[in-house]
Amino acid sequence: MIVIEIALTCAVLCNAISMIGQRRYELNISNSIDETSLSIITIKGADPGQVNSELPKNVEILRSIAHVQDAAAVNSVPFSGNSWVSGLSTTPPEATPRTLEASLYLVTHGGMSALGTQIISGRDFDESDFNDATVNENHSPTAHVALVSKTYAESAWPQQQVLGKVLYLGDNAYTVIGVVADVAAPVVRDGAKTQNFATVFFPTAPIPDIFYYVVRSNPKAVELVTKTAEQELARANPNALVQGRTFSSIRNTYFDTQRSMVWTLTGVCLVMLIVTGFGIVGLTSYWVHQRRVQIGIRRALGATRADIAAYFRLENFLIVSAGIVLGMSLAYGWNLYFSQYFELVRLAWYYFPLAAAMLWVIGQVAVSVPARRAASIAPISAMR
């Protein structure tokens, strides 16, 4: 029974530690935008017919607020959950398609500056790039240029010069004019490290699909700017729903579930290790009681206390090892099943020895008390 208990603990530990590792990666996911300086203001319910006049007016209101360094409108922001994803081809429509999925960000004039994004090579959008740049009936950008993230550039054109390359989406073609540091996608996917940073930026004129306003200010004033921006835009758009939040709060809210899962899984792991440890203590204590005579005979024949304790430690090590071998098989099988049907991330090899080491340690710690008790049995008392 103890072998089965250890096997189940090992199987759960392997998968739980893997999930904790994945959640911790998501919690600490990097992002090249200036997060601590950003306020995000959303305006919903505004008249879409007035967007050409209202959007520039809203941006000017934001830029006039004290401490604001820049402002622009975008279709989405990282960790917002509002994802625009499309497969962009690196080959013309008439050629064999080579499509790579990317999250699409549409920004109005000054958008890259407002986000605080670092342009690694090439240039930012200029005035001419915004001419006729909107979206078509399929919500595909009609611009002629694009900026790509470093991760997307390396995936689309590995070890090649990226500037001047062309991306295709339907009948639209976009010349790559720059590469930006990795900006996270609006939705973070489990284990999809490449897709989480595969982002492409397009210039756009005011369109109804844009309702995020990005405001960059001094980090020390970001709370005040957020509150002021919300009040000013609410006053200018009385019939719309206006909400202001700091980018840091958006990030914290987005990862609330992952944070809770880390604590829950950590608690489950600790409980399982403690229960397994007590199981080993109880079983070994029972064996010590059942083998008092045997222990006494060995002591009478010259076995030292260290020999008796080492015997129980070795026995425990072999039992725990048998449970670990069975548990690893279970862990692999469970992970294979869940990865196929529930999109769980495949187990990395290093989680197996990590779980095994934890069980070996807890096993040796748990057996130490009954092993010392067995070693203290005197030959005379055992033979009575």
Side-chain angles (χ1 to χ4, degrees):
M1 287 298 292
I2 194 67
V3 172
I4 295 175
E5 182 181 349
I6 293 170
L8 290 173
T9 302
C10 181
V12 173
L13 269 182
C14 289
N15 284 284
I17 295 172
S18 172
M19 293 173 71
I20 290 172
Q22 180 59 35
R23 298 290 91 77
R24 287 186 60 81
Y25 156 75
E26 293 172 2
L27 289 171
N28 297 313
I29 191 168
S30 60
N31 195 11
S32 72
I33 65 174
D34 192 3
E35 294 190 6
T36 57
S37 303
L38 294 186
S39 305
I40 308 298
I41 317 298
T42 56
I43 300 179
K44 297 180 180 178
D47 182 359
Q50 302 296 319
V51 67
N52 286 328
S53 59
E54 294 300 314
L55 191 148
K57 187 177 76 175
N58 291 332
V59 171
E60 286 307 312
I61 290 173
L62 293 172
R63 287 175 175 167
S64 66
I65 296 173
H67 306 292
V68 171
Q69 298 167 352
D70 210 341
V74 298
N75 67 324
S76 186
V77 294
F79 315 132
S80 66
N82 180 30
S83 185
W84 288 37
V85 177
S86 284
L88 294 162
S89 176
T90 56
T91 55
E94 61 274 14
T96 302
R98 181 174 179 271
T99 302
L100 291 173
E101 191 176 86
S103 294
L104 311 185
Y105 285 115
L106 279 65
V107 300
T108 60
H109 191 264
M112 305 310 290
S113 170
L115 286 167
T117 306
Q118 178 192 1
I119 297 179
I120 298 173
S121 62
R123 64 172 177 85
D124 195 354
F125 300 124
D126 61 25
E127 285 284 348
S128 63
D129 295 328
F130 291 87
N131 295 334
D132 302 324
T134 58
V135 293
N136 61 20
E137 63 277 7
N138 297 320
H139 294 275
S140 298
T142 60
H144 303 295
V145 294
L147 295 170
V148 298
S149 66
K150 181 173 179 286
T151 292
Y152 189 87
E154 291 174 347
S155 300
W157 304 282
Q159 299 180 338
Q160 295 182 41
Q161 173 58 254
V162 175
L163 301 182
K165 296 289 187 182
V166 179
L167 287 169
Y168 301 89
L169 180 58
D171 296 329
N172 302 296
Y174 315 98
T175 301
V176 176
I177 61 170
V179 178
V180 300
D182 283 339
V183 176
V187 174
V188 176
R189 304 180 196 177
D190 286 353
K193 294 185 179 179
T194 300
Q195 287 88 339
N196 288 337
F197 293 108
T199 51
V200 181
F201 292 81
F202 299 94
T204 184
I207 56 175
D209 296 303
I210 286 183
F211 53 86
Y212 290 89
Y213 290 83
V214 179
V215 184
R216 184 161 60 86
S217 61
N218 187 315
K220 295 180 180 177
V222 70
E223 294 282 353
L224 175 62
V225 167
T226 302
K227 185 176 180 181
T228 306
E230 183 183 73
Q231 292 172 344
E232 292 295 326
L233 289 188
R235 189 176 297 113
N237 300 269
N239 298 321
L241 176 62
V242 180
Q243 183 184 28
R245 301 173 65 188
T246 63
F247 187 87
S248 298
S249 70
I250 291 177
R251 182 182 184 117
N252 287 335
T253 302
Y254 183 81
F255 289 113
D256 269 351
T257 302
Q258 285 85 341
R259 198 173 294 109
S260 299
M261 186 175 291
V262 167
W263 284 110
T264 302
L265 289 172
T266 301
V268 168
C269 291
L270 288 175
V271 168
M272 293 203 72
L273 285 172
I274 291 171
V275 169
T276 302
F278 277 115
I280 292 172
V281 170
L283 187 64
T284 309
S285 297
Y286 174 75
W287 285 340
V288 169
H289 179 73
Q290 292 293 311
R291 298 174 187 174
R292 285 179 61 84
V293 175
Q294 179 187 345
I295 294 169
I297 293 173
R298 289 195 61 190
R299 290 295 310 277
L301 292 175
T304 63
R305 291 186 175 185
D307 292 333
I308 299 299
Y311 168 79
F312 281 99
R313 288 186 181 279
L314 177 62
E315 184 181 62
N316 173 267
F317 177 79
L318 294 176
I319 291 171
V320 172
S321 297
I324 287 172
V325 171
L326 181 59
M328 285 183 175
S329 303
L330 280 175
Y332 182 76
W334 286 356
N335 181 257
L336 196 63
Y337 175 80
F338 285 113
S339 62
Q340 286 181 344
Y341 295 101
F342 298 99
E343 299 183 352
L344 190 70
V345 178
R346 294 291 293 272
L347 268 177
W349 67 268
Y350 44 82
Y351 290 118
F352 292 100
L354 181 60
M358 294 172 72
L359 284 168
W360 274 320
V361 170
I362 201 73
Q364 290 300 303
V365 170
V367 81
S368 60
V369 174
R372 280 203 301 271
R373 190 179 303 132
S376 65
I377 295 175
I380 292 296
S381 64
M383 298 300 291
R384 288 174 182 166

